[in-house]
Amino acid sequence: AREQAQLKASVIEEDTEEWQKDSSFAGLERVGGVDLSYVKGDDTNACASLVVLSYPDLEVLYEDCQMVAVTAPYIAGFLAFREVPFLVEAIQRLQQKEPRLKPQVLLVDGNGLLHHRGFGVACHLGVLTDLPCIGVAKNLLQVDGLARDELHREQIRSLQMEGDAFPLTGTSGKVLGMVLRSYNNSSKPLYISVGHRVCLETAVHLVKSCCRYRIPEPIRQVQKQGELRK
C-alpha cells in the first residue's frame, strides 16, 4: 500500500502531448494495447500481450505475446503488482527491437483512477513506463458509492447512440470516469478512466475513435493475439 501511494503521487491527470490538443489528434500515429490473459482454469500461466496499431487506420504494426508464469498472489486492489511487470517488459522489448514503433498512448484492459485507492492498472503502467495510458473496462468497479443499481442501469439505457456518455461521480463528489456507448450495435457500455498523462475528455474521445466494434481495436487485437498464443 505504501509503494502504491508513492507511485500514485506521480500520476498526471491532464493532457501532456501536442497531439492531444487537436480534436482530430493530428500527430498521433501509433496506439498501443496491452493485456495479460490467463490460460483457462490456471491462475499462474498467462500470456502477456502488446500490440501497436497505426492511427487513424488501426492496422497492426507490431505484436508481442509471451507466455509468463505469474507468481505474485492476487490481492484485491493490488492486481497491478501481479500483472504490470510483464507488461512493462513487453514495452521494454519493443523499445529494444523496434524503437520507432513505440506507442504514443496505451489502452489498458482495466481501470485507472476508477479504483479503490485511485490507482488502478492503467495508472500503475503509465507511471512505470511514463506513457499516456487510458483504462478501458467492460464492467463497473463498485467504488466510492458507485453501484450497478437501477439508477445506473437507467443511465445506461439513456445512451441511445454511439458516442453518448455520462460521468461516473462517486459519493466523494469526484468524477472517477465516464460510461461510453462505443458502438451502435451494442447496448453494453465501456467504463473509461484516466491512467496517466491524459485528461478524461481526451481519453473518451480517443477510445471512441478507436472503436470499430464495442471494444476499441488496440484491446480487441491484443486479446485476439493472446487467445491465439494460448
Side-chain angles (χ1 to χ4, degrees), residues 49-70:
S49 306
L50 163 69
V51 298
V52 181
L53 275 57
S54 63
Y55 188 89
D57 297 334
L58 303 176
E59 301 297 328
V60 176
L61 301 174
Y62 174 91
E63 51 197 35
D64 177 11
C65 301
Q66 296 270 340
M67 294 303 296
V68 298
V70 182

Side-chain angles (χ1 to χ4, degrees), residues 47-161:
C47 184
S49 306
L50 163 69
V51 298
V52 181
L53 275 57
S54 63
Y55 188 89
D57 297 334
L58 303 176
E59 301 297 328
V60 176
L61 301 174
Y62 174 91
E63 51 197 35
D64 177 11
C65 301
Q66 296 270 340
M67 294 303 296
V68 298
V70 182
T71 55
Y74 171 73
I75 303 171
F78 297 98
L79 178 67
F81 287 96
R82 181 172 158 84
E83 298 188 347
V84 161
F86 301 108
L87 304 178
V88 170
E89 286 173 8
I91 292 161
Q92 289 170 340
R93 280 194 298 273
L94 164 62
Q95 289 177 316
Q96 288 163 2
K97 288 194 253 179
E98 295 278 4
R100 64 188 180 84
L101 295 180
K102 180 181 176 181
Q104 292 160 278
V105 59
L106 284 172
L107 271 56
V108 182
D109 182 24
N111 293 297
L113 297 179
L114 181 58
H115 177 265
H116 302 282
R117 283 172 299 282
F119 194 73
V121 64
C123 297
H124 203 125
L125 184 62
V127 168
L128 291 185
T129 61
D130 200 31
L131 286 170
C133 278
I134 299 169
V136 183
K138 302 179 198 74
N139 299 297
L140 174 65
L141 185 63
Q142 300 186 57
V143 298
D144 195 10
L146 298 174
R148 285 193 294 265
D149 53 16
E150 185 50 40
L151 173 61
H152 185 71
R153 287 190 287 270
E154 193 178 306
Q155 287 177 304
I156 290 171
R157 287 193 291 271
S158 76
L159 303 176
Q160 295 294 310
M161 299 172 56

Side-chain angles (χ1 to χ4, degrees), residues 19 21-28 55-56 205:
W19 59 262
K21 297 172 185 173
D22 187 291
S23 61
S24 62
F25 298 131
L28 177 60
Y55 188 89
H205 182 33

